Amino acid sequence: MAKFLNELVFRIIWDELMPVGQLKMDPLFTTAHRLLQLLYQRNSRRRFAPDEHWIMNEAKGSSFFNELKEKRSNAQQLLTYAPHCIPHHDRVKLFRQWIKEERATHQDASVTPILITVQRKRIVEDGYQHISQLTPEELKGVIRVRFINAEGVAEAGIDQDGVFKEFLEETIKRVFDPNLHLFKTTVDNRIYPSPTSNVQDNHLELISFVGRVLGKAVYEGIVVDVPLANFFLSHILRFHTVNPVFSYFDELASFDADLYRNLSTLKRYPGDVAELGLNFTCDEDRLGQIISHDLGADGGDREVTEENKILYIHYMAHFRMHQQIKDQLKAFIQGFLSIVKPEWVAIFSPPELQKLISGDSQSIDLRDLRKHTSYYGGFHSSHRVVGWLWDVLEKDFTEEERGLFLKFVTSCSKPPLLGFAYLDPPFSIRCVEVGEDQDSGDTLGSVFRGFFTIGKKKGTTGRLPTSSTCFNLLKLPNYPKKSILREKLRYAIRSNSGFELS
C-alpha cells in the first residue's frame, strides 16, 4: 500500500500529470496524498519500512538539483507535497544551501559584527537581555561574545567564532535544565515546554529567547544535545495546522506513555464505559495543587459513554499536548521560526528535525573524523601519539566511549549530519607538554619536538587530556606509552568534567 501510494503521488507530481493549481482540488490526488502522509508519519513514529522504501530514483542527487536549478515546477511541488521522496542527505544539503544564500546577505564582510558582553555567572540573564533586543536579521549575522569571568576581568578570545559557540552551548544547557521550570522531560528524557513555566517572571519571553537561541544553533550548523519530544518537534513543524491528518492521540505515546496506554485500554474497553464514572474533565497537578479543566463546554457535566469515548480520548490528548502549553509552544515556535524559516524545515519529518538539532545518530565514522582533523603544537598525522589515539578509538573504545570522546571535545556525542567536513570550527588536536599556565601555543620548539618525538617534558604522564569545546579542540599530552594514553583518555571522557580538566 505505502509503495503504491508513494509511486502514485510521486508520478503525478514529477511527470506533471496534473496542473499545479489542480493538485489541491483533485479528489484522487488529495486522497492518495493524505493516506500517504498517514503512512509516512506512522513510519516516522514507529518504523515499518527502511528509508530506501520512500526514495525515488529520479529525485536523487543531480537529477533533482538540476530540476530545481532550472526552477521546474515538479521539483518545487515535490518539496511541498512529498519531500520524503528525496534522500535525506540531499535535503540537508539543500537546507544548508538555503541558509548559505541567506547568510551571504546577513554576514557580509562589510557588515560590522555585533558585540555582546556576558558575565559567566549570569550567562542566561545577560544573553537574554542582549539577544532579545536584536532583530531576527541581526541575530542571523555575526555575533561576537566577550565573556567576563568571576573576577570581573574580560577573557581572551573575543574575535573567535568558538567563543560564540561556547555561549550558545552553555546557554542552551542551562535554559533546558528542568530545575529552571521552563521545560520538563518525559519518562525517556525528551524535552517539552513546562505548563508551570509561569513560576518564572517573563516566562514566555524567556521561552521565545530559547527558541531563538536554538534556531541560531541550527542556522549556524552547531549541533547540541537537546533531545526534544516527538510531539514538540511536530508542533515546530506546524503539523497541527498544515497537516489535515495530524492526530494528537497518535503523538501521545511520545509525551506520556502511561496515559497513552490507559486511553488505548479505554478505547478497547469490553464493557460499558459509562460504568467507569468518567466525565469530560482533566485534572492537572500544578505545583502541588490539583486543578480540574473542562474538556469542551460544560465538560464536568458531560459523562463519557460508548458513543463519545473516542471524542474524549482525542480531547484528552489535545489538552495535554496543546491546550495546557499552547502559550509556551507559541512563544518557542515564534522564536525558533524567526531564525529558521518554516518552509526550510517543512521538508523534514520530526525525527529528521531532531537530527538537524543534535546531529546524526549513526555510528561515528572515525575515518571521516581523522580525514578532517587539524593538528597543532608539534602533532601531525604521522606522529606516534596521534597514531596511538586513533588506534585506541578504533580498537579499544566501545561505541559508547567513542560518543563520550566526541562529546568531550565538541560538547555533542553525535557527528554532523553531512560529516566532519561540516564541523565548525574543525576538529583539532594540539600537543600539550607543559602546564596550562605555561602553555604558549605553537612554537618552533614544540613543532620540532613533535615531529621527532624528542625532548618531552617531564610530568606529562600524570596529566589528563583536556578540551576546549568552543573550538572543538583536544589538548593531548605527549604520552610516552599507548597504555597511558588509553587510561588517561578513558578516565577524562568519563569524568564529566570535560572542559579544561587537568
Side-chain angles (χ1 to χ4, degrees):
M1 172 69 78
K3 188 174 183 61
F4 169 76
L5 290 171
N6 199 55
E7 179 81 21
L8 175 62
V9 169
F10 176 78
R11 287 296 161 207
I12 291 175
I13 296 172
W14 194 254
D15 296 338
E16 300 179 282
L17 301 180
M18 291 182 185
V20 173
Q22 187 179 335
L23 292 176
K24 290 184 178 180
M25 300 178 291
D26 185 85
L28 171 63
F29 180 80
T30 54
T31 301
H33 183 248
R34 288 185 182 186
L35 287 173
L36 179 61
Q37 282 184 302
L38 280 172
L39 291 170
Y40 184 71
Q41 289 172 20
R42 173 64 174 78
N43 186 71
S44 295
R45 292 191 302 272
R46 189 174 298 175
R47 177 170 297 197
F48 61 82
D51 291 339
E52 295 74 19
H53 181 85
W54 310 96
I55 304 302
M56 305 302 293
N57 288 331
E58 293 95 323
K60 287 182 177 179
S62 58
S63 298
F64 170 76
F65 283 103
N66 288 338
E67 295 286 306
L68 193 64
K69 185 177 181 180
E70 295 175 5
K71 298 184 178 180
R72 292 282 304 276
S73 62
N74 59 350
Q76 297 288 349
Q77 296 306 313
L78 190 64
L79 284 173
T80 300
Y81 288 101
H84 61 265
C85 292
I86 307 164
H88 176 243
H89 187 269
D90 290 340
R91 281 179 283 138
V92 174
K93 282 186 175 180
L94 181 61
F95 175 79
R96 298 311 315 174
Q97 180 62 32
W98 286 336
I99 291 178
K100 181 180 180 180
E101 292 171 357
E102 186 181 75
R103 287 176 69 176
T105 62
H106 293 292
Q107 300 188 3
D108 187 90
S110 62
V111 178
T112 304
I114 295 174
L115 173 63
I116 63 176
T117 301
V118 177
Q119 296 184 54
R120 282 201 176 271
K121 62 182 179 181
R122 289 177 47 85
I123 191 169
V124 174
E125 296 87 342
D126 289 355
Y128 166 70
Q129 180 181 359
H130 288 293
I131 288 182
S132 297
Q133 296 174 0
L134 300 178
T135 66
E137 288 70 28
E138 290 173 329
L139 190 52
K140 291 177 183 180
V142 177
I143 311 294
R144 301 298 191 198
V145 177
R146 175 193 285 124
F147 276 122
I148 306 299
N149 63 22
E151 288 73 35
V153 178
E155 299 179 6
I158 182 176
D159 293 324
Q160 302 297 320
D161 289 336
V163 179
F164 181 70
K165 176 177 182 283
E166 182 186 357
F167 164 74
L168 278 182
E169 291 169 346
E170 287 298 312
T171 300
I172 287 172
K173 181 169 65 175
R174 298 189 191 189
V175 294
F176 281 109
D177 185 344
N179 293 323
L180 200 58
H181 295 292
L182 292 177
F183 296 89
K184 296 183 69 174
T185 57
T186 62
V187 291
D188 56 348
N189 293 318
R190 313 292 289 188
I191 297 168
Y192 67 96
S194 171
T196 58
S197 63
N198 58 359
V199 300
Q200 292 282 355
D201 294 335
N202 302 321
H203 68 116
L204 295 181
E205 290 81 359
L206 280 169
I207 291 176
S208 180
F209 159 72
V210 176
R212 299 182 86 197
V213 169
L214 189 60
K216 176 66 171 176
V218 172
Y219 192 84
E220 298 294 339
I222 298 173
V223 291
V224 289
D225 269 332
V226 180
L228 303 183
N230 197 74
F231 87 93
F232 187 19
L233 293 163
S234 296
H235 270 286
I236 296 173
L237 296 173
R238 305 194 301 177
F239 277 9
H240 62 297
T241 59
V242 302
N243 193 330
V245 296
F246 180 78
S247 168
Y248 283 101
F249 179 69
D250 290 339
E251 295 284 351
L252 187 59
S254 71
F255 172 73
D256 188 330
D258 289 337
L259 179 60
Y260 177 77
R261 282 192 294 269
N262 292 338
L263 292 179
S264 297
T265 301
L266 177 65
K267 183 180 178 180
R268 298 186 295 268
Y269 187 68
D272 185 359
V273 172
E275 298 174 352
L276 301 177
L278 300 174
N279 57 22
F280 277 69
T281 61
C282 178
D283 292 338
E284 177 188 7
D285 185 350
R286 187 177 288 268
L287 301 177
Q289 181 182 2
I290 304 299
I291 301 176
S292 183
H293 300 273
D294 284 354
L295 304 178
D298 301 320
D301 299 325
R302 187 179 183 184
E303 293 184 354
V304 178
T305 65
E306 283 295 316
E307 291 72 25
N308 63 25
K309 67 179 182 181
I310 299 300
L311 183 64
Y312 168 78
I313 288 171
H314 285 281
Y315 272 16
M316 179 68 77
H318 177 265
F319 176 81
R320 293 296 304 277
M321 292 188 293
H322 178 78
Q323 191 64 30
Q324 71 172 349
I325 55 173
K326 63 179 181 180
D327 294 334
Q328 292 89 333
L329 287 169
K330 181 180 179 180
F332 182 92
I333 293 169
Q334 283 182 341
F336 184 86
L337 296 182
S338 70
I339 307 301
V340 183
K341 292 182 178 180
E343 58 266 30
W344 292 350
V345 293
I347 64 175
F348 300 107
S349 67
E352 289 170 342
L353 176 58
Q354 182 65 66
K355 287 183 179 181
L356 275 184
I357 295 170
S358 299
D360 204 334
S361 57
Q362 298 297 319
S363 299
I364 297 171
D365 187 344
L366 289 177
R367 181 177 299 179
D368 182 51
L369 175 58
R370 189 170 187 172
K371 179 180 178 181
H372 296 100
T373 295
S374 301
Y375 302 95
Y376 302 99
F379 276 162
H380 50 87
S381 59
S382 300
H383 193 287
R384 179 178 62 177
V385 175
V386 170
W388 289 342
L389 171 66
W390 296 118
D391 199 50
V392 165
L393 289 172
E394 181 179 359
K395 298 178 180 178
D396 298 336
F397 275 21
T398 64
E399 188 64 39
E400 177 196 5
E401 288 175 321
R402 285 191 283 270
L404 290 174
F405 168 77
L406 189 61
K407 186 168 186 174
F408 178 75
V409 182
T410 70
S411 81
C412 187
S413 60
K414 299 174 183 176
L417 276 181
L418 298 178
F420 287 100
Y422 289 82
L423 185 66
D424 186 27
F427 193 93
S428 306
I429 302 174
R430 192 177 76 178
C431 176
V432 180
E433 302 180 14
V434 295
E436 198 65 43
D437 56 342
Q438 299 173 284
D439 186 9
S440 57
D442 296 346
T443 64
L444 183 61
S446 69
V447 173
F448 181 83
R449 288 192 298 272
F451 270 93
F452 292 97
T453 62
I454 60 173
K456 293 184 284 290
K457 299 279 185 177
K458 294 182 179 180
T460 57
T461 58
R463 179 174 179 168
L464 293 170
T466 64
S467 66
S468 293
T469 58
C470 58
F471 299 108
N472 298 325
L473 173 66
L474 173 66
K475 300 178 182 180
L476 189 65
N478 198 355
Y479 293 116
K481 294 182 180 179
K482 177 181 175 181
S483 58
I484 296 176
L485 184 153
R486 180 174 54 243
E487 174 193 349
K488 297 297 183 181
L489 183 61
R490 181 169 274 149
Y491 180 85
I493 65 173
R494 290 188 174 278
S495 68
N496 293 324
S497 295
F499 185 71
E500 293 300 354
L501 176 69
S502 62

